[in-house]
Amino acid sequence: MRVILRNDLDGLGKRGDIVDVADGYGRNYLLPRGLALKATAGAVDQAAKMRRARDQRDTADREAAQSIATKLVPKIITITAKAGTEGKLFGSVTTADVVDAVREQTGIELERRQVETEPIKSLGQHTVTAKLHTAVSFPITVEVVSA
């Protein structure tokens, strides 16, 4: 059975894609839940429009992510934390702390899930990876200083 996806589905495709699925999967799962449409001639035209809209939105999102990356890469984000005499922190600096510091120091809004790092447990410079788009990931330099 050929169907047109109305939503992004992991392992199957993205919105607007025309895919072949087993008859039972399409009839019993995708169609009743509104996740897909049966692929008719008129629906194929509608799928092309959905793909164009998706591509335009994806291009705009990628450009916005690249502009944020060009602003953040040269900056050093400073975070103050309580530390012991040997440079070990009491606690750790988490992704939420990094996101808050970026917002305060640059005015750029990031989400916690867009920043990938292990908790930082020592003073000094650390590199944190931010992934704003599937095609745009960049390093953010974070300097942790003693309070």
Side-chain angles (χ1 to χ4, degrees):
M1 169 184 275
R2 289 176 57 83
V3 295
I4 301 168
L5 298 179
R6 295 180 70 188
N7 294 323
D8 294 348
L9 295 174
D10 291 337
L12 196 55
K14 294 190 179 256
R15 180 185 169 131
D17 289 346
I18 300 172
V19 294
D20 288 317
V21 295
D23 290 343
Y25 183 57
R27 189 173 45 249
N28 297 326
Y29 183 77
L30 295 175
L31 296 176
R33 287 178 172 76
L35 299 174
L37 302 169
K38 202 164 190 176
T40 61
V44 170
D45 293 337
Q46 184 179 359
K49 290 178 185 175
M50 283 194 284
R51 276 194 303 274
R52 275 195 301 277
R54 179 185 71 203
D55 291 343
Q56 289 173 347
R57 189 171 45 252
D58 188 50
T59 302
D61 290 346
R62 185 174 50 248
E63 289 172 357
Q66 286 173 336
S67 71
I68 290 173
T70 57
K71 292 176 187 172
L72 281 181
V73 168
K75 295 199 183 285
I76 296 177
I77 305 300
T78 305
I79 298 175
T80 58
K82 291 184 180 178
T85 57
E86 296 183 12
K88 287 194 163 200
L89 298 181
F90 297 129
S92 63
V93 175
T94 63
T95 56
D97 298 328
V98 173
V99 169
D100 291 341
V102 167
R103 183 182 323 108
E104 290 171 6
Q105 295 175 27
T106 65
I108 296 173
E109 292 284 334
L110 296 177
E111 292 181 20
R112 184 179 50 82
R113 62 180 173 79
Q114 293 173 326
V115 177
E116 300 168 355
T117 185
E118 294 294 319
I120 299 170
K121 298 183 181 205
S122 62
L123 295 175
Q125 276 197 353
H126 302 275
T127 302
V128 175
T129 303
K131 186 170 186 175
L132 302 183
H133 187 270
T134 55
V136 179
S137 68
F138 57 93
I140 299 174
T141 305
V142 176
E143 184 171 4
V144 182
V145 295
S146 182

